[in-house]
């Protein structure tokens, strides 16, 4: 069998090795150190916020971000149904109840009008959401212009889940700069990686300070170990921060490479009736993290599963779009406002290899296999 091609494998090389080796030789082999401080400052500057807290994962950043907003057991938190489970899991960690909002069919992002309906439902029952957590899907930022206006109207704070959208923007502002706070992820398959890791970004100094406090086991500033709160072991290590600093210098380069991959798919599927490049009509502000297609099998005569099977025969990874959270067994019974869009995208969408580490020969192999499946010239 030929070498496997993954959807989004880590893109690391000599520069990352140099940064990590330098960090090791500095002696800072701990969840603190000069690379952590520098990484926080450099990413905050890139996104355009005042404070950043480097953490062990994007999920940890979501968890602490919600706690920082005052979310507590019994509260209701509105979030996108079209997302990875980490978003909803973090809400449950706080003891709150996730309330799922369906998406716009064209982007997969939270539908502002459905958000308004959910807030009106809660208000009619005399309830109030403790927070709103919109998710920037696959590298395209949410329509924050409308989402933030609705949130302000109902007096609800926003924690932006920008785990997938670092490097993207909305209306001239960087993803990761919206709401009371935002979080980003550096998981191994993301646009840039620290192997594992995440960061909370905010202009709220108190929120940043409280997050840093909770992430270091909530230790009081005394010489002995004194605790008055339950804390967490959520800080990023200095070695991983060094890796992140190297990746950050290459972020624009990696986005550009992923954009080239997207353009190959745009050209390949441009004349295929019944296939649309997901979110491709207006993607100039995306970070191109993952490229997906949406298939109308009644027109094509084949489904996303059929293409996925053909790719798998050549050891090429592909995957359906996220299964919506309101359809997940673990969240059965959770409140939701849905319009069928996320379910449709799950049933008809397919994500294709999209990584910046893809070589020219690997891209050619993917395109050739798809062309063979379509019965068109490579």
């Amino acid at each position: 069998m030929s070498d496997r091609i993954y959807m989004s494998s880590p893109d690391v090389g000599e520069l990352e090795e140099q940064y990590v080796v330098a960090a090791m030789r500095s002696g800072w082999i701990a969840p603190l150190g000069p690379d952590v401080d520098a990484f926080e400052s450099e990413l905050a500057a890139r996104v355009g916020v005042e404070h950043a807290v480097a953490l062990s994962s994007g999920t940890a950043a979501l968890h602490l971000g919600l706690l920082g907003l005052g979310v507590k057991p019994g509260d209701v938190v509105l979030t996108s149904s079209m997302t990875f489970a980490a978003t909803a899991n973090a809400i449950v960690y706080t003891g709150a109840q996730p309330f799922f909002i369906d998406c716009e069919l064209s982007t997969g992002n939270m539908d502002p009008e459905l958000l308004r309906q959910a807030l009106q439902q809660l208000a009619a029952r005399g309830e109030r959401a403790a927070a709103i957590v919109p998710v920037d899907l696959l590298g395209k930022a949410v329509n924050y212009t409308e989402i933030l206006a609705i949130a302000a109207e109902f007096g609800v704070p926003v924690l932006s889940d920008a785990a997938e959208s670092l490097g993207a923007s909305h209306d001239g502002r960087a993803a990761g700069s919206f709401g009371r706070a935002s979080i980003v992820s550096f998981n191994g398959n993301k646009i840039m990686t620290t192997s594992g890791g995440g960061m909370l970004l905010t202009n709220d100094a108190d929120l940043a300070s409280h997050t840093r406090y909770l992430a270091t086991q909530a230790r009081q500033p005394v010489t002995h170990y004194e605790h008055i709160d339950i804390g967490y072991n959520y800080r990023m290590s200095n070695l991983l921060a060094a890796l992140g600093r190297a990746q950050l210098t290459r972020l624009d380069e990696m986005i550009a490479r992923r954009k080239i991959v997207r353009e190959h798919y745009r050209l390949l599927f441009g004349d295929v009736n019944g296939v649309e490049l997901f979110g491709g009509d207006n993607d100039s502000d995306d970070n191109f993290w993952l490229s997906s297609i949406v298939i109308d099998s009644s027109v094509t005569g084949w489904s996303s599963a059929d293409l996925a099977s053909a790719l798998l025969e050549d050891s090429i990874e592909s995957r359906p779009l996220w299964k919506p959270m309101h359809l997940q067994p673990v969240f059965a019974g959770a409140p939701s406002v849905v319009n069928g869009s996320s379910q449709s995208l799950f049933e008809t969408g397919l994500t294709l290899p999209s990584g910046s580490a893809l070589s020219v020969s690997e891209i050619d192999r993917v395109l050739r296999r798809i062309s063979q499946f379509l019965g068109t010239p490579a």
Side-chain angles (χ1 to χ4, degrees), residues 77-94:
V77 175
L78 303 177
T79 191
S80 303
S81 186
M82 194 67 176
T83 184
F84 179 58
T87 317
N89 287 344
I91 295 169
V92 175
Y93 296 167
T94 69

Side-chain angles (χ1 to χ4, degrees), residues 1 39 46 118 125 154 177 254 376:
M1 179 177 287
F39 188 34
R46 165 71 192 226
R125 299 199 296 263
F154 287 85
S177 68
M254 293 190 287
T376 58

Side-chain angles (χ1 to χ4, degrees), residues 239-258:
L239 295 183
L240 297 189
L243 173 58
R245 293 184 67 198
Q247 287 268 282
L248 185 57
T249 68
R250 298 181 52 230
L251 177 58
D252 289 329
E253 167 204 331
M254 293 190 287
I255 290 174
R257 290 175 65 89
R258 287 177 186 262

